[in-house]
Amino acid sequence: MCGITGIIRWKQRPTDRIEIERMTQAVAHRGPDGVGFLQRDGVALGHRRLAIIDPETGQQPMSNEDQTVWVTYNGEMYNFAELREELEQQGHRFRTRSDTEVVIRAYEAWGAECVRKFRGMFAFGLADFKNRKLLLARDHFGIKPLFYRSGDGYVAFASELPALKQVDDGPPTGNLEAVELFLRYKYIPTPHTIYREVRKLPPASYLLIDFDGRFEEPKRYWDFRFQPESGISDSEWEERAASVIHESVKAHLVSDVPFGVFLSGGADSTLVALQMSRILKQPVQAFAIGFQEKEFSELPYAEQAAEKCGIELHSEIVREDMLAILPDLVAHYGEPFADSSAVPTWFVSRLARAHVPMVLSGDGGDESFAGYETYREWMRTDPMKQAGDSARELAPRAVLWWLRKAARQYMSQGTLNNLSEWQWHMQYVGEDERRALWRDEFHGLVGRRSEMFDEAHSKARNFSRLSYAQYMDYQTYLPGDILTKVDVASMYHGLEVRTPLIDLRVIELAASLPLDQRFRRNGSGEPVRKYLLKKVLGRTFPPEFVHRKKQGFGIPRAAWFFKGQSGRRLWDEIVMDPGSRLYDWFKPEQVRAQMELHSDAHDNSGPLWLLLVLGIWLDQNREIHFN
């Protein structure tokens, strides 16, 4: 992986070498193996390299032979060998073995639509000096980030938000609407950022910018629909899933450097580690984090998985003082981001980077194969099911038929999948609680809509209940929270993380699964989420390992906010400071009340963590004016 930066200016003055150097230095942690720049005709590109493929000749920015096309690229393309062969058959000649050059040749052959052919994770900026266009593009799922800032006479882009504060312009303007979205979701959904002038490029999108500054909205180049296949037996589904996951893991292992795997001990990471152990000849190195608080530590399961797979496990116990890194971590995210599992992700990434520059992870299994508890609750409130259940109890068959027909009509109008209901399931701080926090003059912000949620709902409103939930997570929670968390926490240490369960081939499989391969009840009537994935894992691991209660990668957050603990000390230092900028917008008595609500009987650590992160970020960015 790498850090990329760039800027085009079309009036006032030419690009400044010092400017692009400052921007690129801000992402230096993403690429410790090299640095490069291009400055030409009002365009400047910067690159920090983490060398994974072709370390000798893959330096960037990279150009074609006549230097009319230059690219700064952050990513790994898993089908680059196949694309290279296809392009060579068209007459293109290659000077390197890198996937970066494949991006250049693919653009020469197919223009901006070349991204449709890529399989991998990527974000890049490509300058076409012949046609005077800048192409910004991001991978299908949003694994790799890309931000862009527009101002008077320029557009700049970067892998991380802090780089865009290095542009020769005034400080960007803070966005209070984004603060409301943050309170609601614990992250700021695409395309918004904490700054009004800065946007996130959506997943599966590209943006073309003329060198004279003209550009339109990003164009989406890919999407998917859930279209379940019928007539396939359980055993055939199991074989198909095992084959697809094995192939994806194998494709994600292309590398010229050593690598390992994050192994939490959960089903997803264990399945990835198992496939790696079967593919590789050398022992797999795995990395896991445990906690002193046994109820939060999955380390015993990681040890069990490592022994079963015959892999070498490196582990570390993270202690209560781990929150000492929180201010630095908040600064690296560049905007308020309150998924507390970013903290253990930071520690496991540090552990892994001491041994290897690249790892695989099990992220994406819950979205692809329906593993979240949220899905169970969402299906429990299915209006169509409730109508059928009521009719069976109260009405004869004719009335039951009528009720189901009416339910189908409602579903065709999208009313069975209600966006407000879904957002109620997903919200972090409820609307009433948010309204109570905001000072009266800011109540107009409460309930601010998210374009990404609206757009995803418009496409998925007619999906089945479970498919709707999965699609919504793919478009919002996965890129906005999960992938953002992993990218920043790992690239802080210059560690590349690959996600074989977030892959085009795996998603094609997941989108074809009938309901009973995603969600099925066992003999006791209990729901089995991720049914098919667990069937594959159950070939090797015993039922008590495969079907234990889902734990997640959390921290003992509630305990850390009690008196004398590190979270409480940070809260008192940051949030309770009378000079905190939180009180520019929030009622002091309502902020203090959040701590009063926290007790052994009531865990209120979610809102506490959110306000703590926001308070730290505001303290670090006092020069930012909000409106």
Side-chain angles (χ1 to χ4, degrees), residues 338-370:
D339 186 333
S340 57
S341 63
V343 176
T345 304
W346 187 96
F347 277 94
V348 75
S349 296
R350 184 182 68 172
L351 174 64
R353 190 62 178 94
H355 299 269
V356 295
M358 187 267 280
V359 295
L360 270 61
S361 84
D363 289 316
D366 287 311
E367 290 82 4
S368 298
F369 296 94

Side-chain angles (χ1 to χ4, degrees), residues 513-586:
L513 295 178
L515 176 61
D516 66 354
Q517 295 299 328
R518 292 174 273 168
F519 189 98
R520 184 181 296 194
R521 297 191 181 276
N522 60 22
S524 303
E526 292 297 314
V528 179
R529 301 186 300 277
K530 286 194 291 197
Y531 173 79
L532 182 58
L533 188 147
K534 290 180 177 179
K535 284 285 289 183
V536 175
L537 187 63
R539 292 175 164 188
T540 306
F541 285 82
E544 58 269 22
F545 181 94
V546 175
H547 295 288
R548 71 182 191 273
K549 184 179 179 181
K550 181 178 176 61
Q551 188 164 328
F553 197 37
I555 60 174
R557 191 178 61 193
W560 291 354
F561 278 110
F562 292 132
K563 285 186 177 180
Q565 301 302 309
S566 59
R568 182 62 172 267
R569 291 194 296 270
L570 268 175
W571 173 273
D572 290 341
E573 175 188 345
I574 302 295
V575 179
M576 298 307 293
D577 181 354
S580 171
R581 294 188 69 193
L582 287 169
Y583 303 120
D584 291 350
W585 315 305
F586 301 134

